[in-house]
Amino acid sequence: MARQCPLEKVRNIGIMAHIDAGKTTCSERILFYTGRLHRMGEVHDGGATMDFMVQEQERGITISSAATTCTWRDHQINLIDTPGHVDFTVEVERSLRILDGVVGLFCAVGGVQPQSETVWRQAEKYDVPRICFVNKMDRIGADFFAVVGQIQETLGANAVPLSIPIGSGPEFEGLIDLMKGVAVYYDENDRGSTIREEPLTEQQAEYMAPWRQNLLEKVAEVDDRLLEKYFAEEPISREEIVAAVRAATHQHLICPVLCGSAFKNKGVQRLLDAIVDFLPSPLDLPPVSGNCLAGKPIERTPKEGSHLAALAFKVVADKHVGKLIYVRVYSGTLQAGTYVLNSTQNRRERVGRLFRMHANRQELVDCIYSGEIGAVVGLSDTVTGDTLCCENDPIVLEAIDFPAPVISVAVQPESRDDLEKLQKALVRLAEEDPTFIVATDPETDNIVISGMGELHLEIILDRIKREFGVAVKSSPPEVAYRETITSAVDIEERLRKQTGGHGQYAHVILHIEPMGPGQGYEFVNDVKGGNIPKEYIPAIEKGIVQAMAEGVWAGYPVVDVRVTLVDGSYHEVDSSEMAFRTCASMAFKKGFMKDNPVLLEPVMRMNVTTPEDYAGSITGSLCSRRGQIQGMDRRGNAQEIKAMCPLANLFGYTSELRNMTQGRASFTMQFEHYEAVPYTIAEEIIEKRRKREQSQRRG
């Protein structure tokens, strides 16, 4: 099957914004006006095409990025609608990695909001050209020009309005097209499909004049030919403005800004025109670069005849077709039924069926051509970030960087019979989402799941219940406490047991003393004169190690002690390895409890980066969590707070920090050392552990 749309008329674009800025509503209008839909659904009633997950429909938010394809002015637009919630930032990250252009949506009331900044920086990271759409001009308090100012000041973009609103809030009637110099109105009786362009009134012309002048100045700055015409006061045509803005957008010199109200069906067609006119086709961008298997850099240009190079950017477990791999083809053609090389894993795989996606619906195709986005079935070993290429000329494309998880919970099935089903579900979900990590704590045997936030993990647990039929209980993961001693002690223990036949006899004298933090454990044999035969010494050490592993005071492993075997005795008939092992364990436990035991807790080194306005609140919050502030440094217009804080007091801190700073602060933490827990807190921890163990035994 031949390519239906020339490559220069392909647009791979995404829509990104803060949560509730109107991305999905805007996507719904795009699909309607391009003829992809014949009936518009709404987010608030759960009918939006792009929000197809049950969890999305219930909450009215986008959780998973959804892809679709539509046509406008004979151009093929491959569209990805991304989530706006910070917990699902991975969906934005992997989408931006493969997109050629992006629409940044801004609420006309909220302006540049915290997540707007985050996704904008992600687009800068991948060097993706952007245009802006100021949405919700029909809302009370809408201020288009204030939002343009915020885009310039907060995001550092050269924001250039191409249209300005006629009225705002309930009085929002339409817009003025600055390039054509006309007033644009939308007929509400047919959902905005009928557009009227009318000459400007005298008042509108006066209102438009400074912004039309601003547009001409901006295009003159980026085009020498237009600069000459501008100074010569010669007229500059709309076609010349479009060409100049397009070139400047690709070079990140200008960021075009449009306005409208997707919910009220106004301005979306002008946005579609801007996508076609200003955002790049695959041919407008540099060739994709990667490495050959020998490590040397190579490039691929977007042509059908060239060698295949495609990137798997998303994995979905589809209940109908199985494992679905979303791919962006950069060069060559991906054909159904052929073999490809997964160069990332050096595996040969067979391409099964190919689909063009429309949200959660698949349209079967024979090929995915260069510059296009589609989905593949049959690649059982492929995961997110893998490169697919031809076997005779392999290339490895740059993988996708994903942020590290920031919150963890321990999970277990409500029924023990469901443990295997739970493990399979977790593996499937972790395969889909690189920011969802599953691990088993070797000390507690807890299954610990980690993600980007509380909502992220809430959605995961809900999916486990609905899609895999496993009811799950969750709780904060147990902290890996330790026990140690603070002073030295000598202890003597004698084991005598007489039963029928051989008895059991062992006698040991131990010296137990603390070691420095982090030094672990040391066993010293200081027995003289063969009072204890050498063959029993390993058994004595095993008994001590066993007692340390089980814990003595609170049931947590013992660390940072040196145990010296000073002396002892044995019986030629009744002594055995088992007897000395048991005796050594008993001696260690008695000596440990005589020697002022303490509970140790993991202390984390934290770096919190925040706007300066929130620094005081953050330091107060850390101190209330038994944190110690180590210092503060300025990082541009932000503050970096360095602190030490016990891990036990950091559960739930991610959500608190986001709420405290409107999502504008972030933090990293890593283990630093173990530190003694205050005695009163240690008693509470031990009591809770005993109650939990009693409850488990009764269960």
Side-chain angles (χ1 to χ4, degrees):
M1 187 176 78
R3 177 191 279 276
Q4 294 179 336
C5 182
L7 192 55
E8 62 270 16
K9 290 190 174 184
V10 172
R11 301 288 184 270
N12 294 308
I13 66 116
I15 300 182
M16 64 178 192
H18 186 86
I19 189 170
D20 203 31
K23 296 179 300 301
T24 303
T25 302
C26 187
S27 299
E28 201 75 6
R29 269 55 180 177
I30 287 174
L31 295 177
F32 179 76
Y33 294 130
T34 57
R36 201 70 174 78
L37 293 180
H38 300 292
R39 177 185 174 277
M40 285 188 284
E42 302 295 353
V43 173
H44 59 266
D45 60 17
T49 303
M50 303 297 269
D51 283 351
F52 55 83
M53 291 174 63
V54 176
Q55 293 83 359
E56 293 176 318
Q57 295 166 356
E58 288 178 348
R59 292 166 174 81
I61 63 171
T62 301
I63 292 170
S64 176
S65 58
T68 189
T69 300
C70 55
T71 303
W72 183 256
R73 285 172 37 192
D74 297 326
H75 285 68
Q76 177 181 315
I77 299 175
N78 301 315
L79 171 69
I80 295 181
D81 176 28
T82 66
H85 196 287
V86 65
D87 282 16
F88 309 106
T89 187
V90 61
E91 296 289 341
V92 184
E93 186 82 19
R94 58 179 161 197
S95 297
L96 286 172
R97 170 66 177 81
I98 55 91
L99 291 173
D100 299 330
V102 70
V103 177
L105 238 69
F106 299 90
C107 173
V109 179
V112 177
Q113 296 167 285
Q115 189 65 5
S116 310
E117 295 182 53
T118 302
V119 296
W120 194 269
R121 304 304 174 209
Q122 287 175 297
E124 286 182 337
K125 171 183 173 183
Y126 292 107
D127 204 32
V128 181
R130 281 142 277 167
I131 61 176
C132 298
F133 184 71
V134 179
N135 193 28
K136 300 192 177 184
M137 283 303 306
D138 61 303
R139 294 271 300 274
I140 295 174
D143 190 336
F144 172 75
F145 302 108
V147 177
V148 172
Q150 291 176 27
I151 294 171
Q152 292 171 333
E153 294 169 16
T154 307
L155 303 180
N158 186 15
V160 180
L162 302 183
S163 62
I164 56 176
I166 301 174
S168 65
E171 286 77 41
F172 177 60
E173 300 177 42
L175 52 92
I176 295 175
D177 185 328
L178 297 178
M179 294 186 293
K180 293 181 72 173
V182 296
V184 183
Y185 299 97
Y186 299 84
D187 191 338
E188 296 183 8
N189 295 324
D190 63 355
R191 298 189 175 185
S193 296
T194 301
I195 304 171
R196 304 190 321 273
E197 292 186 357
E198 299 181 0
L200 300 177
T201 65
E202 186 176 337
Q203 186 179 7
Q204 288 173 341
E206 186 178 341
Y207 167 54
M208 180 195 76
W211 292 102
R212 165 76 178 183
Q213 185 69 19
N214 175 71
L215 173 59
L216 295 177
E217 289 175 0
K218 294 293 185 180
V219 297
E221 288 174 2
V222 297
D223 188 304
D224 291 340
R225 190 175 58 83
L226 295 186
L227 183 63
E228 292 177 7
K229 294 186 73 171
Y230 177 77
F231 281 123
E233 297 184 355
E234 297 177 14
I236 299 176
S237 68
R238 181 186 184 277
E239 290 71 23
E240 290 175 314
I241 294 174
V242 169
V245 172
R246 177 180 178 81
T249 302
H250 295 181
Q251 299 171 48
H252 308 285
L253 300 175
I254 278 180
C255 187
V257 184
L258 300 100
C259 64
S261 169
F263 183 65
K264 293 294 186 180
N265 309 312
K266 296 176 181 178
V268 177
Q269 292 96 323
R270 280 300 196 273
L271 174 61
L272 280 163
D273 287 336
I275 289 170
V276 168
D277 289 338
F278 307 126
L279 290 179
S281 75
L283 291 174
D284 295 316
L285 299 174
V288 67
S289 59
N291 294 319
C292 65
L293 296 183
K296 294 181 180 179
I298 49 177
E299 293 182 340
R300 289 282 191 271
T301 54
K303 294 187 299 186
E304 268 73 62
S306 59
H307 295 292
L308 174 68
L311 184 71
F313 68 94
K314 183 172 180 174
V315 177
V316 173
D318 188 279
K319 61 182 178 182
H320 300 298
V321 299
K323 186 176 177 181
L324 198 62
I325 310 291
Y326 283 70
V327 298
R328 160 71 192 265
V329 178
Y330 285 98
S331 67
T333 303
L334 189 62
Q335 293 182 307
T338 60
Y339 283 91
V340 296
L341 175 68
N342 180 333
S343 56
T344 307
Q345 302 188 37
N346 199 23
R347 289 175 180 267
R348 187 174 186 251
E349 296 200 70
R350 186 180 184 275
V351 177
R353 289 173 290 169
L354 298 176
F355 298 106
R356 181 172 289 151
M357 299 302 299
H358 179 52
N360 62 334
R361 297 196 291 276
Q362 301 103 17
E363 299 172 357
L364 192 66
V365 295
D366 296 325
C367 305
I368 302 175
Y369 296 100
S370 62
E372 293 187 340
I373 295 169
V376 189
V377 171
L379 307 177
S380 58
D381 295 320
T382 299
V383 297
T384 302
D386 284 357
T387 300
L388 305 174
C389 61
C390 54
E391 297 178 79
N392 58 353
D393 192 5
I395 183 174
V396 181
L397 301 175
E398 182 183 353
I400 308 171
D401 290 328
F402 295 111
V406 297
I407 188 171
S408 303
V409 298
V411 296
Q412 59 180 350
E414 290 186 358
S415 169
R416 292 181 181 178
D417 296 336
D418 285 339
L419 180 59
E420 187 175 346
K421 286 173 66 178
L422 173 62
Q423 291 170 335
K424 288 181 179 178
L426 293 174
V427 168
R428 291 271 295 277
L429 293 171
E431 196 174 51
E432 285 188 24
D433 186 349
T435 60
F436 174 59
I437 306 298
V438 182
T440 302
D441 190 319
E443 293 184 18
T444 63
D445 282 335
N446 282 344
I447 298 175
V448 179
I449 61 174
S450 305
M452 299 305 297
E454 291 178 358
L455 179 60
H456 185 198
L457 295 184
E458 179 188 321
I459 298 296
I460 291 287
L461 296 176
D462 190 54
R463 290 187 64 191
I464 291 172
K465 182 178 180 180
R466 292 181 194 245
E467 296 176 24
F468 299 94
V470 182
V472 177
K473 296 184 291 186
S474 63
S475 61
E478 291 186 44
V479 176
Y481 291 106
R482 299 286 187 268
E483 301 175 20
T484 193
I485 53 177
T486 55
S487 58
V489 67
D490 292 303
I491 190 75
E492 181 174 1
E493 181 69 17
R494 198 182 303 267
L495 174 68
R496 279 198 185 99
K497 281 190 179 180
Q498 190 66 44
T499 56
H502 289 301
Q504 293 186 50
Y505 177 86
H507 172 218
V508 296
I509 300 173
L510 303 179
H511 176 73
I512 308 172
E513 59 185 321
M515 296 176 67
Q519 293 188 11
Y521 156 72
E522 184 180 347
F523 176 76
V524 180
N525 176 19
D526 203 21
V527 176
K528 304 290 193 298
N531 289 347
I532 300 177
K534 289 182 179 179
E535 60 265 27
Y536 295 143
I537 303 301
I540 293 172
E541 184 174 5
K542 284 181 182 177
I544 294 168
V545 170
Q546 180 183 355
M548 290 176 62
E550 293 172 353
V552 181
W553 181 32
Y556 295 104
V558 176
V559 296
D560 300 335
V561 295
R562 179 185 291 113
V563 181
T564 303
L565 178 59
V566 178
D567 204 355
S569 62
Y570 76 105
H571 189 277
E572 289 186 356
V573 176
D574 292 343
S575 290
S576 65
E577 288 187 4
M578 178 61 72
F580 272 102
R581 183 172 178 173
T582 304
C583 183
S585 179
M586 293 166 55
F588 180 83
K589 290 178 180 179
K590 286 184 180 179
F592 188 89
M593 291 306 296
K594 286 176 61 177
D595 200 19
N596 300 320
V598 294
L599 196 63
L600 301 176
E601 63 182 345
V603 174
M604 313 302 285
R605 176 180 293 279
M606 298 182 64
N607 283 58
V608 185
T609 304
T610 175
E612 196 166 359
D613 295 347
Y614 306 107
S617 301
I618 290 172
T619 54
S621 171
L622 288 173
C623 290
S624 71
R625 292 172 177 266
R626 294 197 289 128
Q628 297 178 351
I629 307 301
Q630 305 288 306
M632 297 176 67
D633 294 322
R634 183 174 291 279
R635 293 283 184 271
N637 59 354
Q639 286 277 358
E640 184 180 41
I641 301 170
K642 298 177 181 178
M644 298 283 189
C645 191
L647 176 61
N649 293 71
L650 289 175
F651 295 128
Y653 182 68
T654 303
S655 298
E656 181 184 324
L657 183 66
R658 287 177 182 167
N659 294 335
M660 196 187 313
T661 64
Q662 298 181 333
R664 298 175 67 187
S666 62
F667 80 99
T668 59
M669 66 179 182
Q670 62 185 40
F671 172 74
E672 181 65 21
H673 61 262
Y674 273 92
E675 196 171 281
V677 180
Y679 184 76
T680 53
I681 297 176
E683 287 290 311
E684 293 176 9
I685 293 168
I686 294 169
E687 184 61 26
K688 285 180 182 177
R689 182 179 176 90
R690 286 174 181 158
K691 287 181 179 178
R692 185 166 62 249
E693 289 175 346
Q694 289 171 1
S695 174
Q696 289 173 349
R697 283 195 293 269
R698 285 196 297 269

